[in-house]
């Protein structure tokens, strides 16, 4: 019965049909031909891309590390630069995006020395007064001559401004109007300056003011208010008011720092010979008053009056004539009626009056003789006498004008910290001890005298003793290995090798295995289907349930009966595949063709 069953199994087919030979002896070409066109194209594109990426990674890993030698070749003789580098056998390349000249990291210093030795330096693109050295045509107009002069002046000013620190390049534009003989048509010149600064740098207000003064004094009748300074970012730098305030504040700050540095140096000079270097720390803070004060005072002393001026007038007038003229209204009246004296005695009394200028008579009727001259004395004439005096007195007054010094020191604060005293005993052991109060007082007096201590001004000097923290270990400033140029070369090569290994073993190898043996999975699936089919035979009644099927061939191979377990059937199939894989593959192929 077993023989009858074995005849029903397609063993004769395995023996009759021999396996086909692969195309050109390569199994993956036959497998590739069995794929669809879309899968073939995708597979070939993936393989080509993998190979291209691998070559790119290899080239990248082998490429040397280039460093920028020149940021740009603008303003330089490119041919001379290339010839100098080629003569020195220095490999170079030009970056297409920025135009920078790159050389290898190990050749960077040597390339700089070669260029400096060849005298290669950026040339100035500004045209100065050398434009006037060019020959002019016979018919050159006055306008062209003035324009050439203005252009040369602009170039010279641009060169001068470019020499200022932090200024990379500069351009100067001058607007010089034509001179006129009429005052009402006269116009003042103006100027504008564009400065290109180095990246990350700025101009100080004092530098901007220096540029303005430089341009103003180079052009006749150009005032500083008519000059505009702008940077490459469009920022206005010539704000006169703000710039003046900032400049004044900067000067005051610098003056304060210089004063503090002067006093600190005085403290160092007095303490360093006593304590030694690094055994103390001193800082000085100065409070400086920059306010400007002017005062005028006038004082009077009422206790000390003084005669300032005096004027006196004394008049005396005598005349032999009686009063004349018109003394008043009474002289205009007619004379009164004459009256005869009633008594004779009255006539004698009237006769006794002596007229002025007549000899004087005594009681006896005799002339009075002047004993000094011996002449008769005459009756005096009538006289006018006037005296006048004007006196001016002045009080004691004092006027004082005081102008306070600018930058006057108002207060000074000094702080000094002293480390512990180092004591070496007889055994050579070094110990530290704090300074005594007497020593600190002595140091305080030294510091006060060195800085000019003034208690009335509110100065303060503090000298304290405290142990300093121990010095930390010296830091090794050697360049780390990851900053060395060779390190990145090794890293690039290692990364390239790792990428190639991942590409080969992770992508190419699975793809090639799939091409050379694409039916392994189908064989396993076929084996599982065969197991299912054999398992289904377990429900057959009769003698077939206990019979085993044998396959004829070079060796006798017995298949398990349908009643045996799944593991026994699976092991038998594995043995069959191991013994004759070609025949098993042919059987599976026939099953697939039969199913189709």
């Amino acid at each position: 019965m077993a023989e009858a069953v074995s005849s029903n199994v397609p063993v004769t087919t395995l023996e009759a049909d021999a396996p086909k030979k692969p195309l050109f002896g390569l199994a993956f070409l036959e497998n590739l031909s069995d794929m669809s066109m879309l899968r073939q194209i995708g597979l070939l594109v993936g393989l080509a891309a993998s190979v291209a990426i691998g070559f790119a990674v290899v080239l990248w890993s082998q490429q040397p590390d280039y460093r920028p030698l020149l940021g740009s070749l603008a303003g330089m003789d490119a041919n001379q630069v290339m010839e100098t580098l080629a003569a020195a056998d220095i490999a170079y390349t030009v970056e297409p995006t920025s135009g920078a000249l790159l050389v290898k990291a190990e050749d960077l210093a040597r390339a700089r020395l070669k260029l400096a030795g060849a005298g290669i330096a950026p040339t100035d693109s500004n045209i100065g007064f050398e434009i006037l050295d060019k020959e002019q045509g016979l018919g050159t107009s006055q306008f062209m001559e003035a324009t050439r002069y203005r252009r040369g002046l602009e170039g010279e000013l641009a060169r001068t401004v470019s020499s200022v620190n932090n200024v990379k390049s500069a351009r100067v534009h001058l607007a010089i109007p034509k001179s006129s003989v009429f005052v009402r048509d006269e116009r003042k010149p103006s100027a504008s300056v564009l400065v290109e600064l180095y990246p990350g740098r700025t101009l100080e207000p004092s530098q901007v003011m220096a540029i303005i003064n430089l341009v103003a004094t180079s052009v006749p009748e150009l005032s500083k208010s008519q000059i505009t300074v702008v940077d490459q970012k469009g920022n206005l730098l010539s704000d006169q008011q703000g710039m003046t305030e900032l400049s004044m504040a900067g000067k005051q700050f610098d003056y304060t720092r210089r004063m503090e540095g002067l006093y600190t140096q005085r403290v160092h000079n007095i303490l360093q010979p006593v304590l030694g270097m690094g055994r103390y720390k001193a800082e000085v803070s100065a409070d400086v008053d920059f306010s400007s004060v002017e005062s005028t005072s006038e004082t009077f002393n009422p206790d000390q009056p003084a005669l300032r001026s005096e004027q006196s007038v004394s008049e005396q007038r005598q005349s032999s004539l009686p009063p004349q003229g018109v003394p008043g209204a009474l002289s205009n009246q007619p004379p009164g009626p004459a009256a005869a004296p009633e008594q004779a005695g009255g006539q004698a009394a009237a006769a006794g009056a002596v007229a002025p200028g007549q000899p004087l008579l005594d009681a006896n009727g005799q002339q009075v003789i002047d004993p000094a001259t011996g002449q008769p004395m005459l009756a005096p004439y009538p006289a006018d006498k006037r005296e006048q005096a004007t006196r001016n007195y002045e009080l004691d007054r004092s006027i004082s004008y005081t102008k306070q010094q600018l930058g006057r020191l108002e207060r000074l604060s000094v702080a000094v910290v002293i480390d512990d005293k180092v004591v070496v005993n007889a055994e050579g052991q070094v110990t530290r001890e704090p300074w005594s109060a007497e020593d600190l007082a002595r140091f305080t007096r030294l510091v006060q005298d060195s800085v000019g201590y003034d208690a009335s001004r509110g100065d303060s000097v503090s000298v304290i003793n405290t142990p300093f923290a121990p010095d930390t270990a010296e830091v090794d400033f050697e360049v780390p290995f990851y900053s060395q140029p060779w390190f990145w070369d090794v890293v690039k090569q290692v990364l390239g090798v790792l990428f190639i290994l991942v590409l080969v073993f992770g992508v190419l190898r699975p793809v090639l295995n799939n091409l050379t043996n694409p039916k392994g999975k189908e064989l396993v699936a076929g084996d599982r289907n065969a197991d299912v089919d054999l398992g289904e035979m377990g429900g057959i009644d009769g003698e077939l349930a206990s019979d085993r099927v044998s396959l004829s061939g070079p060796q006798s191979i017995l298949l398990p009966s349908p009643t045996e377990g799944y593991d026994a059937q699976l092991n038998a199939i594995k043995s069959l595949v191991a013994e004759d894989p070609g025949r098993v593959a042919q059987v599976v192929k026939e099953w697939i063709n039969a199913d189709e």
Side-chain angles (χ1 to χ4, degrees):
M1 186 67 181
E3 295 176 359
V5 173
S6 62
S7 63
N8 296 330
V9 181
V11 179
T12 57
T13 306
L14 294 174
E15 297 176 353
D17 298 335
K20 297 181 180 180
K21 295 182 179 180
L23 186 60
F24 298 106
L26 299 175
F28 73 92
L29 293 178
E30 181 182 358
N31 298 330
L32 183 62
S33 62
D34 293 339
M35 295 181 181
S36 61
M37 182 62 66
L38 184 60
R39 292 189 62 187
Q40 292 179 4
I41 295 174
L43 183 61
L44 294 177
V45 171
L47 290 175
S50 301
V51 173
I53 293 175
F55 275 107
V57 171
V58 171
L59 295 177
W60 172 78
S61 62
Q62 297 297 328
Q63 184 180 7
D65 185 17
Y66 281 93
R67 300 292 179 86
L69 176 62
L70 297 174
S72 176
L73 293 176
M76 303 185 68
D77 190 355
N79 294 331
Q80 188 178 3
V81 173
M82 303 304 178
E83 292 176 359
T84 304
L85 296 179
D89 195 14
I90 298 176
Y92 62 88
T93 182
V94 179
E95 189 176 5
T97 56
S98 62
L101 183 64
L102 307 178
V103 297
K104 294 181 180 180
E106 59 271 13
D107 296 336
L108 182 60
R110 189 162 61 95
R112 290 177 177 174
L113 291 177
K114 291 295 182 181
L115 293 181
I120 300 176
T123 58
D124 189 6
S125 59
N126 295 320
I127 300 177
F129 281 139
E130 63 269 11
I131 192 175
L132 301 178
D133 298 336
K134 299 180 181 179
E135 295 184 0
Q136 301 182 10
L138 183 61
T140 303
S141 61
Q142 184 179 4
F143 172 77
M144 290 301 299
E145 292 180 353
T147 304
R148 289 164 66 93
Y149 172 77
R150 179 171 56 86
R151 185 181 177 187
L153 182 59
E154 292 175 350
E156 293 293 335
L157 290 175
R159 289 176 179 175
T160 307
V161 173
S162 299
S163 61
V164 179
N165 290 339
N166 301 334
V167 178
K168 183 178 180 182
S169 62
R171 294 193 65 183
V172 179
H173 302 280
L174 300 178
I176 303 177
K178 186 178 180 180
S179 59
S180 176
V181 296
F182 300 101
V183 178
R184 63 176 179 270
D185 295 337
E186 185 179 2
R187 292 179 295 174
K188 298 296 183 180
S190 60
S192 59
V193 181
L194 174 64
V195 292
E196 182 182 358
L197 307 178
Y198 286 102
R201 301 184 185 181
T202 57
L203 285 180
E204 297 293 334
S206 58
Q207 292 178 316
V208 178
M209 184 60 68
I211 294 174
I212 293 176
N213 291 332
L214 176 67
V215 177
T217 54
S218 301
V219 180
E221 300 182 0
L222 177 60
S223 61
K224 294 186 290 185
S225 60
Q226 298 296 324
I227 301 176
T228 304
V229 182
V230 184
D231 62 0
Q232 74 271 23
K233 297 181 180 179
N235 299 324
L236 180 62
L237 305 179
S238 57
D239 186 6
Q240 300 288 339
Q241 181 177 1
M243 187 167 50
T244 303
E245 295 176 356
L246 290 176
S247 178
M248 182 61 65
K251 291 180 180 179
Q252 294 177 358
F253 180 79
D254 293 339
Y255 178 79
T256 305
R257 295 290 83 80
R258 288 197 302 269
M259 180 178 291
E260 293 175 351
L262 175 62
Y263 285 112
T264 304
Q265 186 61 37
R266 290 182 179 179
V267 176
H268 288 329
N269 295 338
I270 200 67
L271 292 182
Q272 183 176 352
V274 179
L275 300 176
M277 180 66 68
R279 306 297 302 170
Y280 67 95
K281 297 294 180 182
E283 290 292 337
V284 178
S285 176
D287 186 8
V288 184
D289 184 13
F290 293 98
S291 59
S292 179
V293 178
E294 297 181 4
S295 61
T296 303
S297 62
E298 183 178 2
T299 58
F300 296 91
N301 188 2
D303 298 334
Q304 295 180 357
L307 181 63
R308 180 180 180 182
S309 61
E310 180 179 5
Q311 182 180 5
S312 61
V313 177
S314 178
E315 295 181 359
Q316 185 175 2
R317 183 178 59 185
Q318 294 181 358
S319 176
S320 60
L321 298 177
Q324 296 178 358
V326 182
L330 295 178
S331 60
N332 296 327
Q333 299 294 332
E342 295 179 356
Q343 296 179 359
Q347 185 178 2
V354 180
Q358 298 298 323
L360 293 177
L361 300 177
D362 56 3
N364 298 322
Q366 299 294 327
Q367 293 182 350
V368 178
I369 303 302
D370 188 3
T373 60
Q375 298 294 333
M377 297 180 62
L378 301 178
Y381 292 95
D384 295 335
K385 185 177 182 182
R386 183 174 67 89
E387 294 182 357
Q388 180 180 357
T390 302
R391 296 181 178 88
N392 294 327
Y393 292 91
E394 191 72 42
L395 297 177
D396 187 13
R397 182 181 65 172
S398 61
I399 300 176
S400 62
Y401 175 78
T402 305
K403 182 178 181 181
Q404 183 177 343
Q405 180 184 1
L406 189 64
R408 184 172 57 90
L409 180 62
E410 289 190 346
R411 187 173 183 272
L412 196 64
S413 301
V414 183
V416 180
V417 180
I418 303 176
D419 193 8
D420 289 343
K421 180 171 56 176
V422 178
V423 179
V424 182
N425 56 15
E427 299 178 356
Q429 296 180 356
V430 179
T431 58
R432 295 178 178 270
E433 297 179 359
W435 293 90
S436 62
E438 292 78 5
D439 293 334
L440 293 180
R442 181 164 53 90
F443 293 149
T444 302
R445 289 193 298 272
L446 288 176
V447 174
Q448 289 178 352
D449 294 340
S450 63
V451 298
Y453 175 80
D454 187 1
S456 61
R457 194 172 52 189
D459 296 349
S460 64
V461 176
S462 300
V463 180
I464 63 174
N465 173 220
T466 183
F468 287 2
D471 296 336
T472 57
E474 296 183 359
V475 181
D476 189 6
F477 292 99
E478 293 183 359
V479 179
F481 68 94
Y482 53 82
S483 298
Q484 300 290 342
W486 58 264
F487 175 75
W488 293 109
D489 295 338
V490 173
V491 169
K492 288 166 61 176
Q493 294 180 3
V494 171
L495 291 178
V497 171
L498 292 178
F499 185 82
I500 294 299
L501 293 177
V502 172
L503 183 64
V504 171
F505 292 99
V507 179
L508 296 180
R509 184 178 179 183
V511 172
L512 294 177
N513 290 337
N514 189 17
L515 286 176
T516 56
N517 190 14
K519 297 183 180 179
K521 296 181 180 180
E522 297 177 358
L523 179 59
V524 175
D527 294 341
R528 292 182 179 178
N529 293 333
D531 294 339
V532 174
D533 293 340
L534 292 175
E536 292 177 353
M537 296 175 63
I540 302 176
D541 297 332
E543 298 177 354
L544 293 176
S546 59
D547 291 342
R548 294 187 177 183
V549 180
S550 63
L551 296 178
S552 61
Q555 297 179 357
S556 179
I557 301 175
L558 296 178
L559 295 178
S561 64
T563 58
E564 294 182 5
Y566 174 80
D567 296 335
Q569 297 176 6
L570 182 59
N571 292 332
I573 293 174
K574 289 182 178 180
S575 300
L576 179 62
V577 173
E579 291 293 335
D580 196 355
R583 187 174 296 179
V584 174
Q586 187 65 24
V587 172
V588 175
K589 184 177 180 181
E590 291 296 331
W591 288 349
I592 294 174
N593 293 334
D595 293 338
E596 292 178 357

